PDB file of all heavy atoms in Angstrom:
ATOM      1  N   THR A1449       0.524   2.222  -0.787  1.00 96.00           N
ATOM      2  CA  THR A1449       1.173   3.473  -0.782  1.00 96.00           C
ATOM      3  C   THR A1449       0.672   4.449   0.332  1.00 96.00           C
ATOM      4  O   THR A1449      -0.467   4.245   0.782  1.00 96.00           O
ATOM      5  CB  THR A1449       1.054   4.213  -2.210  1.00 96.00           C
ATOM      6  OG1 THR A1449      -0.325   4.518  -2.361  1.00 96.00           O
ATOM      7  CG2 THR A1449       1.526   3.339  -3.290  1.00 96.00           C
ATOM      8  N   TRP A1450       1.416   5.459   0.660  1.00 97.00           N
ATOM      9  CA  TRP A1450       0.950   6.432   1.652  1.00 97.00           C
ATOM     10  C   TRP A1450      -0.249   7.230   1.071  1.00 97.00           C
ATOM     11  O   TRP A1450      -1.127   7.619   1.770  1.00 97.00           O
ATOM     12  CB  TRP A1450       2.048   7.339   2.121  1.00 97.00           C
ATOM     13  CG  TRP A1450       3.265   6.593   2.725  1.00 97.00           C
ATOM     14  CD1 TRP A1450       4.564   6.821   2.423  1.00 97.00           C
ATOM     15  CD2 TRP A1450       3.270   5.597   3.744  1.00 97.00           C
ATOM     16  NE1 TRP A1450       5.321   6.000   3.183  1.00 97.00           N
ATOM     17  CE2 TRP A1450       4.586   5.185   3.925  1.00 97.00           C
ATOM     18  CE3 TRP A1450       2.247   4.980   4.462  1.00 97.00           C
ATOM     19  CZ2 TRP A1450       4.896   4.203   4.925  1.00 97.00           C
ATOM     20  CZ3 TRP A1450       2.623   4.020   5.422  1.00 97.00           C
ATOM     21  CH2 TRP A1450       3.950   3.656   5.598  1.00 97.00           C
ATOM     22  N   THR A1451      -0.158   7.446  -0.296  1.00 97.00           N
ATOM     23  CA  THR A1451      -1.276   8.107  -0.901  1.00 97.00           C
ATOM     24  C   THR A1451      -2.563   7.353  -0.710  1.00 97.00           C
ATOM     25  O   THR A1451      -3.617   7.953  -0.336  1.00 97.00           O
ATOM     26  CB  THR A1451      -0.986   8.334  -2.490  1.00 97.00           C
ATOM     27  OG1 THR A1451       0.170   9.093  -2.545  1.00 97.00           O
ATOM     28  CG2 THR A1451      -2.106   9.010  -3.155  1.00 97.00           C
ATOM     29  N   SER A1452      -2.513   6.087  -0.875  1.00 97.00           N
ATOM     30  CA  SER A1452      -3.699   5.220  -0.750  1.00 97.00           C
ATOM     31  C   SER A1452      -4.111   5.187   0.708  1.00 97.00           C
ATOM     32  O   SER A1452      -5.339   5.145   1.020  1.00 97.00           O
ATOM     33  CB  SER A1452      -3.572   3.867  -1.290  1.00 97.00           C
ATOM     34  OG  SER A1452      -2.578   3.141  -0.805  1.00 97.00           O
ATOM     35  N   ARG A1453      -3.145   5.122   1.604  1.00 97.00           N
ATOM     36  CA  ARG A1453      -3.438   5.142   3.033  1.00 97.00           C
ATOM     37  C   ARG A1453      -4.152   6.424   3.444  1.00 97.00           C
ATOM     38  O   ARG A1453      -5.121   6.410   4.165  1.00 97.00           O
ATOM     39  CB  ARG A1453      -2.182   4.951   3.842  1.00 97.00           C
ATOM     40  CG  ARG A1453      -2.466   4.939   5.404  1.00 97.00           C
ATOM     41  CD  ARG A1453      -3.243   3.748   5.837  1.00 97.00           C
ATOM     42  NE  ARG A1453      -3.437   3.847   7.278  1.00 97.00           N
ATOM     43  CZ  ARG A1453      -4.521   3.462   7.962  1.00 97.00           C
ATOM     44  NH1 ARG A1453      -5.495   2.873   7.312  1.00 97.00           N
ATOM     45  NH2 ARG A1453      -4.579   3.590   9.249  1.00 97.00           N
ATOM     46  N   LEU A1454      -3.751   7.547   2.946  1.00 97.00           N
ATOM     47  CA  LEU A1454      -4.425   8.859   3.222  1.00 97.00           C
ATOM     48  C   LEU A1454      -5.814   8.784   2.664  1.00 97.00           C
ATOM     49  O   LEU A1454      -6.698   9.227   3.428  1.00 97.00           O
ATOM     50  CB  LEU A1454      -3.610   9.977   2.599  1.00 97.00           C
ATOM     51  CG  LEU A1454      -2.277  10.363   3.255  1.00 97.00           C
ATOM     52  CD1 LEU A1454      -1.546  11.363   2.305  1.00 97.00           C
ATOM     53  CD2 LEU A1454      -2.549  11.065   4.585  1.00 97.00           C
ATOM     54  N   ALA A1455      -6.057   8.289   1.490  1.00 96.00           N
ATOM     55  CA  ALA A1455      -7.304   8.204   0.962  1.00 96.00           C
ATOM     56  C   ALA A1455      -8.217   7.303   1.793  1.00 96.00           C
ATOM     57  O   ALA A1455      -9.373   7.564   2.035  1.00 96.00           O
ATOM     58  CB  ALA A1455      -7.300   7.691  -0.515  1.00 96.00           C
ATOM     59  N   GLU A1456      -7.641   6.151   2.221  1.00 97.00           N
ATOM     60  CA  GLU A1456      -8.411   5.226   3.071  1.00 97.00           C
ATOM     61  C   GLU A1456      -8.868   5.915   4.425  1.00 97.00           C
ATOM     62  O   GLU A1456      -9.979   5.622   4.926  1.00 97.00           O
ATOM     63  CB  GLU A1456      -7.512   4.052   3.357  1.00 97.00           C
ATOM     64  CG  GLU A1456      -8.067   2.917   4.279  1.00 97.00           C
ATOM     65  CD  GLU A1456      -7.106   1.869   4.468  1.00 97.00           C
ATOM     66  OE1 GLU A1456      -6.813   1.046   3.604  1.00 97.00           O
ATOM     67  OE2 GLU A1456      -6.492   1.820   5.640  1.00 97.00           O
ATOM     68  N   LEU A1457      -8.059   6.765   4.980  1.00 97.00           N
ATOM     69  CA  LEU A1457      -8.376   7.499   6.152  1.00 97.00           C
ATOM     70  C   LEU A1457      -9.228   8.720   5.932  1.00 97.00           C
ATOM     71  O   LEU A1457      -9.660   9.421   6.806  1.00 97.00           O
ATOM     72  CB  LEU A1457      -7.120   7.910   6.878  1.00 97.00           C
ATOM     73  CG  LEU A1457      -6.219   6.840   7.450  1.00 97.00           C
ATOM     74  CD1 LEU A1457      -4.860   7.405   7.881  1.00 97.00           C
ATOM     75  CD2 LEU A1457      -6.971   6.164   8.614  1.00 97.00           C
ATOM     76  N   GLY A1458      -9.537   9.024   4.625  1.00 97.00           N
ATOM     77  CA  GLY A1458     -10.274  10.185   4.322  1.00 97.00           C
ATOM     78  C   GLY A1458      -9.590  11.531   4.456  1.00 97.00           C
ATOM     79  O   GLY A1458     -10.145  12.539   4.781  1.00 97.00           O
ATOM     80  N   ILE A1459      -8.240  11.504   4.413  1.00 97.00           N
ATOM     81  CA  ILE A1459      -7.346  12.643   4.663  1.00 97.00           C
ATOM     82  C   ILE A1459      -6.841  13.154   3.359  1.00 97.00           C
ATOM     83  O   ILE A1459      -6.302  12.392   2.522  1.00 97.00           O
ATOM     84  CB  ILE A1459      -6.228  12.330   5.600  1.00 97.00           C
ATOM     85  CG1 ILE A1459      -6.734  11.937   6.925  1.00 97.00           C
ATOM     86  CG2 ILE A1459      -5.290  13.514   5.659  1.00 97.00           C
ATOM     87  CD1 ILE A1459      -5.595  11.300   7.942  1.00 97.00           C
ATOM     88  N   GLU A1460      -7.000  14.447   3.065  1.00 95.00           N
ATOM     89  CA  GLU A1460      -6.491  15.061   1.922  1.00 95.00           C
ATOM     90  C   GLU A1460      -5.403  16.118   2.386  1.00 95.00           C
ATOM     91  O   GLU A1460      -5.717  16.954   3.270  1.00 95.00           O
ATOM     92  CB  GLU A1460      -7.626  15.816   1.163  1.00 95.00           C
ATOM     93  CG  GLU A1460      -7.181  16.409  -0.154  1.00 95.00           C
ATOM     94  CD  GLU A1460      -8.364  16.924  -0.958  1.00 95.00           C
ATOM     95  OE1 GLU A1460      -9.385  16.317  -0.897  1.00 95.00           O
ATOM     96  OE2 GLU A1460      -8.127  17.985  -1.624  1.00 95.00           O
TER      97      GLU A1460
END
Side-chain angles (χ1 to χ4, degrees):
T1449 65
W1450 302 131
T1451 300
S1452 62
R1453 179 66 180 146
L1454 287 167
E1456 181 181 284
L1457 292 169
I1459 296 171
E1460 188 174 322

